[in-house]
DNA sequence: ATAAATATTTGGAACGTTCCAATTTTGTCA
DNA sequence: TGACAAAATTGGAACGTTCCAAATATTTAT
């Protein structure tokens, strides 16, 4: 179809200079004479030259490929889509492009995409690991000097940087808020017990309960799939308890929505008859009826921050494993029964302190 | 950090063969002796060899880079996230990786990312163009023999393949359905009039109205931002009309949700007091209260199909511009007032014919 | 056992760029 | 104007792969 690619040599020939000079122009070197530079640039535009990064980083062996890999476990979940957008923002403005792949929680797929990305010479990787990812899986990458930043879910034994939200503090503040509203029996609903995130959030719940001077009862913890359906299931069990709770903090917003569904089905009004608090502050939380009180984690911010961290490591050449726990804030809306004074307004937000 | 990259020559040396043989093994050629192949593979594993695609497609000049670019206008919108997932699926199983970027409706950003992708040697591009994209923007790509598939929004003058959903038929079936329920005054709410998608959907509305033997009245068409807020606004105007409508088809689901909000605010129950139909069938449509009757477009399917089309063109080498209009189906739930018999069940679905 | 056929292996020469050391051009100062 | 410094330019030699044509090893058929 097309003739032959326009190369730096064609430009050189047409502009009457050497290929070295053209190369210098390409990298904006201050060595070239202003006149030469503009002539060469003009010729490039004229001939429709397109830079061949493949060839370039073949020569400059290694580090500077201008590609970062981004791997998420579920792009369908808007939480992760937002995260990817955040990464894209900073990565793009640094002149990098992102290789984005979705693993759909498949560990094999994750291995494949990471391998593929490596073949393509990524100079760094941001990953929200699939469930049950082996910490050793990223060993070869870091051994090869490719910085890795793990986000959202942390990998216990891996010596890589990570950035997670402050699950514990978030859940604790949610519980405190409910206790402040007078609730004595607060349940923890949803989530699979075998994940690090679950453990963190549950620990936060427990601290909150104890900080409020209430007793921690195991039967008030009802696990389930971290989905809307799981929420329906969990509230069903919770309602049936002899010590029936009057409020619940949920593993995430999806569960919280399910809980609201379940309450509706029993002719109970979330907010009025039973207080519900979510976690994540997904985009729909604000617009739901009733608007969901939830812990906001700003996935896009995590993405941006993770990308910054990664770029820093890429530029430094040295990958010093660093862990950041990002602040999180409780957004009070209607579903907890506290927002009734100003319905449908933007929720007032309670900034909470962050750990390190 | 790392010593020096392991290359095909290192493998050759260690396995006691020539680099050519190693290369042959790499591409799974049938020319190499079985014994040799396994020995070489073993050495590769042992030394931790990673293939350098950059070098590879430098040599095999051009077409086969195993990268496809994906550009969407709003990854935050779960519709496009789903689309990207669909693309990823087929692209990945064909041994390609996807370069995904988000333009956020910025035409400049779109230009940048496309240029960047080109420098990286993508062998094809799938794009959901930002608003007001110039059809000529992709001219250079196709001139260079890089297949381009436009999805979701079509570019009028561009000679590229495209795959859009059957907006017209979808809207028509929605109107017919409402008319069948006895509605005489059906409004068309939301959307910006300057887009191709709007035109298509409005045309479908008009055909539907006329096919049902009703009159088309311009005042029943109320445009607004294609968002939840826009929906609230639009229903406000519609309710105030002298010939007050009893039902509405909406530009998309977001608008439909806004319309429901607006109805609630006026103590009207969507489904019972006023029929509402959306468009897109976003993930929340099913779980909303009342569940939204809407036209389902399966973004993931579009992504998969677009990817298949692109791969076909990549393999064919020849890019024959082809246009596909994908079928769409009306999913009847509660918000139109017809689903009351089986509340909260999965909506029955009405498959409608597709154009070409 | 030997020629012919087939199976397997192999050195270069690309691909398009950057880097280096060396060269040429231009400018400055006495 | 000559000598020297500074500025600008320039030919190779890489980088890690694939391709090609040619060489070598193994079979097969006579």
């Amino acid at each position: 179809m097309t003739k032959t690619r326009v190369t730096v040599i064609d430009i050189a020939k047409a502009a009457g200079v050497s290929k070295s000079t053209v190369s210098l122009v390409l990298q904006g070197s201050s060595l070239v004479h202003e006149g030469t530079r503009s002539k060469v640039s003009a010729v490039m535009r004229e001939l429709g030259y397109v830079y061949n990064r493949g060839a370039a980083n073949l020569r400059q062996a290694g580090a500077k490929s201008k590609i970062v890999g981004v791997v998420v476990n579920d792009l369908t979940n808007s939480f992760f889509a937002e995260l990817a957008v955040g990464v894209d923002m900073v990565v793009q403005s640094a002149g990098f492009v992102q290789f984005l792949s979705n693993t759909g929680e498949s560990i094999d797929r994750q291995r494949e995409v990471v391998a593929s990305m490596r073949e393509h010479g990524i100079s760094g990787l941001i990953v929200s690991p699939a469930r049950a990812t082996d910490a050793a899986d990223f060993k070869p990458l870091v051994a090869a000097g490719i910085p890795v930043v793990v986000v959202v879910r942390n990998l216990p034994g891996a010596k890589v940087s990570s950035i997670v939200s402050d699950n514990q503090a978030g859940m604790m503040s949610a519980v405190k808020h409910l206790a402040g509203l007078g609730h004595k029996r607060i349940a923890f609903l949803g989530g699979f017990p075998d994940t690090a995130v679950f453990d963190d959030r549950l620990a936060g719940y427990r601290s909150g309960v104890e900080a409020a001077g209430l007793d921690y009862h195991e039967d008030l913890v009802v696990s389930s799939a971290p989905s809307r359906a799981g929420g329906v299931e969990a509230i069903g069990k919770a309602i049936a308890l002899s010590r029936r709770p009057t409020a619940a903090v949920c593993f995430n917003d999806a569960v919280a929505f399910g809980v609201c569904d379940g309450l509706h089905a029993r002719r109970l009004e979330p907010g009025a008859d039973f207080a519900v608090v979510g976690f994540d502050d997904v985009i729909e939380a604000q617009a739901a009826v009733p608007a969901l009180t939830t812990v906001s984690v700003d996935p896009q911010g995590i993405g941006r921050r993770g990308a910054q961290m990664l770029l820093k490591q890429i530029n430094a050449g040295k990958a010093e494993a660093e862990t950041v726990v990002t602040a999180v804030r409780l957004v009070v809306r209607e579903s907890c029964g506290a927002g009734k004074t100003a319905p449908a307004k933007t929720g007032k937000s309670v900034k909470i302190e962050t750990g390190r």
Side-chain angles (χ1 to χ4, degrees), chain A residues 234-250:
Chain A
I235 186 66
K237 287 187 188 158
I239 284 283
L241 290 174
S242 54
R243 296 171 35 82
R244 177 169 163 175
T246 61
V249 291
C250 302

Side-chain angles (χ1 to χ4, degrees), chain A residues 218-249:
Chain A
E218 204 144 70
D219 52 350
L220 284 176
V221 176
V222 182
S223 68
S224 75
S227 61
R228 195 150 184 151
V232 173
E233 182 196 328
I235 186 66
K237 287 187 188 158
I239 284 283
L241 290 174
S242 54
R243 296 171 35 82
R244 177 169 163 175
T246 61
V249 291

